[in-house]
Amino acid sequence: MVKKSIVIAMAMAMFAQGSYAFDLGGMINAGSDAVKAVAMSDAEVKNVASLAKQESDKLNKVATPKDQFGVRLKKITKGMKTDSGLNLDIKVYLVKDVNAFAMADGTVRVFAGLMKVMTDDEIRYVIGHEIGHVSLGHSKKALQTVYAASAVRKGAASSGNGVASALSQSALGDLTEKLVHAQFSQSQESDADMYALKFIKTNGYDPKAAVSALRKLEKMYGNDKSMFSSHPAPGDRAEALEKEI
Ligand SMILES: [Zn+2]
């Protein structure tokens, strides 16, 4: 069991290194219909998301509230206004990658590597973008798509008594990895950016930070979208936001 966890953790680290912008993985394209999403109740979606959250939190070191990154995140999110009904759980992973992701239950994980290169307001834009994926239903759709093809679902179906009791560790690891690295479509990314802009304005943050965050990514990784063809290049996203501001 321990060995398996290490293998999964290594695989996650490798994939994360290949990514060049937040919530971007390329393992699967959650926006595509290649794998058909399965209908799930909101309770089922939350159940699966929270299992994947627990698994991911086991595989990555979570910053404690006393850690410098934990302290900074608390400062960044203090008094942050979000959509009502959204049960946010924002934490930092102490990993080097410049990344962040959200899950359908309101889980947001910001990577220390991203916090190192971004200002507080730039991180707020990233958080707003991630919340956008949750609030706009992208994360739910991604989860439904991943879950449809997952061994976790097959196990749950064959046991006949629900998701939680039927999990095998490797199936859960696989599901978690695909959720963490779900790739959204170009239009979902643009919508999440526009959501982030609204979120920034509601909270009285600096909208220019959204542009500068993307410009930083562009500088680090180039305005290249060939890596994941469905993903808009950071420079293009910065320009779209600049127009909106
Ligand atoms: Zn995104």
Side-chain angles (χ1 to χ4, degrees), residues 27 68 72 82 104 113 141 146 160 186 189 196:
M27 277 296 295
Q68 55 159 324
R72 187 170 166 217
T82 57
K141 196 184 172 199
V146 168
Q186 185 152 342
E189 289 303 339

Side-chain angles (χ1 to χ4, degrees), residues 38-232:
V38 63
M40 295 166 79
S41 70
D42 281 352
E44 283 174 309
V45 168
K46 279 197 175 139
N47 188 11
V48 173
S50 95
L51 287 168
K53 181 229 308 250
Q54 287 166 32
E55 178 69 7
S56 183
D57 284 357
K58 263 196 285 175
L59 295 172
N60 296 282
K61 199 165 180 220
V62 181
T64 66
K66 284 184 177 164
D67 179 278
Q68 55 159 324
F69 288 99
V71 170
R72 187 170 166 217
L73 185 77
K74 199 175 170 195
K75 187 187 109 196
I76 286 170
T77 57
K78 197 176 175 209
M80 190 176 260
K81 291 195 260 321
T82 57
D83 292 347
S84 58
L86 198 63
N87 200 7
L88 274 192
D89 169 21
I90 309 186
K91 284 181 182 147
V92 182
Y93 280 163
L94 296 174
V95 293
K96 285 185 293 189
D97 310 287
V98 180
N99 213 339
F101 69 87
M103 285 197 197
D105 62 344
T107 298
V108 177
R109 293 293 178 262
V110 182
F111 293 21
L114 183 120
M115 293 182 76
K116 271 189 183 160
V117 297
M118 303 258 172
T119 66
D120 289 358
D121 269 334
E122 287 168 349
I123 293 164
R124 290 181 178 117
Y125 150 68
V126 173
I127 290 170
H129 176 100
E130 294 305 326
I131 292 173
H133 282 312
V134 178
S135 281
L136 299 170
H138 305 162
S139 302
K140 183 178 170 183
K141 196 184 172 199
L143 185 143
Q144 287 172 319
T145 307
V146 168
Y147 189 65
S150 163
V152 173
R153 182 189 171 214
K154 285 172 199 134
S158 66
S159 81
N161 52 10
V163 174
S165 60
L167 291 174
S168 85
Q169 190 60 35
S170 67
L172 179 58
D174 181 59
L175 177 85
T176 302
E177 188 183 297
K178 285 183 175 134
L179 275 184
V180 168
H181 295 291
Q183 188 187 352
F184 296 109
S185 71
Q186 185 152 342
S187 70
Q188 285 175 324
E189 289 303 339
S190 305
D191 290 349
D193 275 346
M194 291 308 149
Y195 179 98
L197 212 53
K198 257 198 334 209
F199 164 89
I200 285 166
K201 283 177 184 163
T202 304
N203 277 287
Y205 303 146
D206 178 13
K208 288 196 291 294
V211 176
S212 61
L214 288 163
R215 292 288 179 210
K216 266 182 193 171
L217 291 174
E218 184 186 16
K219 225 178 198 172
M220 289 168 73
Y221 303 104
N223 196 35
D224 180 16
K225 53 185 160 192
S226 61
M227 204 162 150
F228 302 111
S229 56
S230 72
H231 201 83

